[in-house]
Amino acid sequence: MPDMSVGLIIAMPLRQWGLIDASMDNDASVETVDGNRQRADLARSIRQAGLDQLYRWTSGVSGSGSWPPPDDIVKPKLTIAQWLLTIDVLERWAAAADRTGRHEAAAQERELRELILSRLQAHGVRLPEALVGNPGPEQPRTSESWPSPE
């Protein structure tokens, strides 16, 4: 297993990061109420990493504090543990989108998931078989699987 604390940058358009941000928000909310507090904390740390990079407000500067245009390329740096949770969360919410008839949203989340998987593999990260095999919400990771966000 790779060192889960190693930080990796995966560049993507802001519109894709927005999918990650929304999925992490959903996951953190659900896990805070019904589940795994450690997973919720890791999801919140992913959102914060994006906010730290993207959302910069400068007093007195018009337009600062707003997100860049959706086609801007962002380069979030997350730990391997955070990227692995991102892969899992994208599949979880893609499956939920499919169940509710939002097939286009599900396809976008899965496409982003595959992009992240391929980039991690290109970085030499050996991925857990369960993540490569699209586990979805029916095979959730155990609480021991999610390292703390530190």
Side-chain angles (χ1 to χ4, degrees):
M1 191 62 146
D3 179 355
M4 300 296 266
S5 65
V6 170
L8 291 174
I9 294 172
I10 297 179
M12 65 187 72
L14 179 63
R15 75 172 34 90
Q16 287 181 321
W17 178 259
L19 289 174
I20 292 172
D21 183 71
S23 296
M24 290 302 149
D25 186 34
N26 291 341
D27 213 66
S29 296
V30 168
E31 293 298 331
T32 296
V33 173
D34 290 330
N36 183 332
R37 189 67 181 206
Q38 196 172 13
R39 180 179 166 120
D41 290 344
L42 191 58
R44 278 191 282 282
S45 77
I46 293 167
R47 291 192 76 213
Q48 190 60 53
L51 288 173
D52 289 347
Q53 180 190 1
L54 301 172
Y55 190 76
R56 296 202 169 92
W57 179 78
T58 306
S59 179
V61 177
S62 177
S64 73
S66 60
W67 284 51
D71 290 328
D72 272 14
I73 300 299
V74 298
K75 298 176 181 176
K77 183 177 185 178
L78 302 178
T79 66
I80 293 172
Q82 288 171 319
W83 284 121
L84 293 178
L85 179 62
T86 301
I87 292 165
D88 192 64
V89 167
L90 285 168
E91 179 55 36
R92 178 184 197 177
W93 295 102
D98 271 339
R99 285 191 304 273
T100 58
R102 297 178 306 111
H103 303 295
E104 185 176 326
Q108 290 174 345
E109 289 165 333
R110 287 193 176 108
E111 179 181 321
L112 178 54
R113 181 184 187 279
E114 292 304 314
L115 170 81
I116 294 167
L117 279 169
S118 69
R119 300 268 175 86
L120 288 174
Q121 289 171 325
H123 279 289
V125 176
R126 292 184 55 214
L127 300 166
E129 197 59 40
L131 285 179
V132 177
N134 269 352
E138 289 74 28
Q139 298 176 20
R141 304 269 309 251
T142 64
S143 59
E144 297 81 40
S145 300
W146 301 117
S148 67
E150 288 85 36

